[in-house]
Amino acid sequence: MLAYIIRRIVQSVLVMLAVALVSFALFRYVGDPIYAMVGQETSLEDREALRENLGLNDPFVVQFARFVGNAAQGEFGISYRLQQPVMELILSRLPATLELALISGLAAFVFGVGAGVYTALRRRGALSTAIMTLSLIGVSLPTFLIGVLLIWIFAVELQWLPSFGRGDTVVLPWGWETGFLTQSGRASLILPAITLGLYQMTLIMRLVRAEMLEVLRTDYIKFARARGLSNRAVHFGHALKNTLVPVITITGLQLGSIIAFAIITETVFQWPGVGALFINSVRVVDVPVMSAYLVLIALIFVVINLIVDLLYYAVDPRLRVERGGVRH
């Protein structure tokens, strides 16, 4: 187990180095940040002096080594646009994105697993057919269109929920800003959470349904029924437990996708998260913010993938047997 963990950590470090190289090299060629930082009246001498102060004239290898060294310490430089430390900007907006992603992911998992199990056990029922038909909406429609439709129905026509913003927030003693503790914050979270989690929910539901149907056809389930076990024990004590093994992997990776692709939802609902910060930085070629965002998303994916692999290793005893060199 220890050797497996060490190997996965080494692989994760190599992945992060590769992502850092790609992000650093890519954003070197998206435009000249100097033009976004100064006015038209700035002389060429002042532009060149600013370029020298920012280290943009240094060789690529020197700039990349400095970027990796600073990133390892959580330092990504100063935002060209806002003239503030990039890490402070990200940390100030990260609670909003994580709050939205966690609620979306939790709702997608709970409703996805529940609907998947129900449609597998009642696959010929009218409600199951309706659920499977409606699930096509979550798979087919793009995220921005779902968000616009929800705004039109619940914010414009019915006027039940706010259409943009995060609502009132409360700063907790340890500095975390949350909207859970205010009525307007909870109301503002509903529409973007549904928009962001709908696709993941339908994906989890269909996966659970397919896995559940496959497990119910196995021999050990037939043997459990032959022993006289109740349907409840067979379905939830045996079938569901084995169904959730591949679901753990998909759910973990989907949580990373929710955080990474929250950009669209944050743009539609004007949600003040890191996704909106990234979009604004792209418009003005704010390279430090763009690079830091890509590295942060890659780090989230790597950490989640590492946790999922370890959970998968702990849940499925077959992996432990194979890695221990015992095969039957």
Side-chain angles (χ1 to χ4, degrees), residues 93-109 166 176 180 189 192-194 196-197 200 251 254-263 265-266 271 273-274 297 300 304:
R93 290 172 172 258
L94 190 59
T97 297
L98 291 181
E99 187 175 279
L100 176 61
L102 290 177
I103 292 298
S104 301
L106 181 61
F109 179 79
R166 195 183 177 193
W176 187 272
F180 285 138
L189 185 62
I194 294 176
L196 187 58
Q200 281 71 25
T251 302
Q254 287 303 310
L255 180 58
S257 299
I258 287 175
I259 298 175
F261 300 115
I263 296 177
T265 302
E266 291 182 2
W271 190 263
V274 291
I297 294 302
I300 291 174
I304 291 177

Side-chain angles (χ1 to χ4, degrees), residues 38-117:
V38 300
Q40 296 181 353
E41 68 280 358
T42 305
S43 63
L44 295 177
E45 291 78 10
D46 292 338
R47 294 172 185 264
E48 189 61 29
L50 180 59
R51 191 185 304 276
E52 185 68 28
N53 291 334
L54 294 176
L56 299 179
N57 291 331
D58 295 336
F60 178 85
V61 176
V62 175
Q63 294 187 48
F64 178 68
R66 183 168 57 240
F67 174 76
V68 172
N70 293 334
Q73 305 175 29
E75 175 61 44
F76 292 94
I78 304 297
S79 169
Y80 294 160
R81 178 174 64 97
L82 301 175
Q83 295 298 306
Q84 297 180 22
V86 174
M87 204 59 188
E88 291 184 5
L89 290 173
I90 292 178
L91 291 178
S92 65
R93 290 172 172 258
L94 190 59
T97 297
L98 291 181
E99 187 175 279
L100 176 61
L102 290 177
I103 292 298
S104 301
L106 181 61
F109 179 79
V110 172
F111 289 104
V113 171
V117 172

Side-chain angles (χ1 to χ4, degrees), residues 32 45 47 100 113 122 152 174 196 208 219 228 230 233 240 260 301 303 312 315 323:
D32 191 352
E45 291 78 10
R47 294 172 185 264
L100 176 61
V113 171
R122 303 285 188 271
W152 174 58
W174 52 87
L196 187 58
V208 170
D219 292 336
S230 64
L240 182 59
F301 266 103
V303 171
Y312 203 92
V315 169
R323 294 189 182 278

Side-chain angles (χ1 to χ4, degrees), residues 5 9 44 77-78 87 89 97 127 129 148 167 174 234 239 260 286 306 312:
I5 294 176
I9 292 177
L44 295 177
I78 304 297
M87 204 59 188
L89 290 173
T97 297
L127 182 58
T129 303
V148 172
W174 52 87
V234 171
D286 198 341
L306 178 61
Y312 203 92

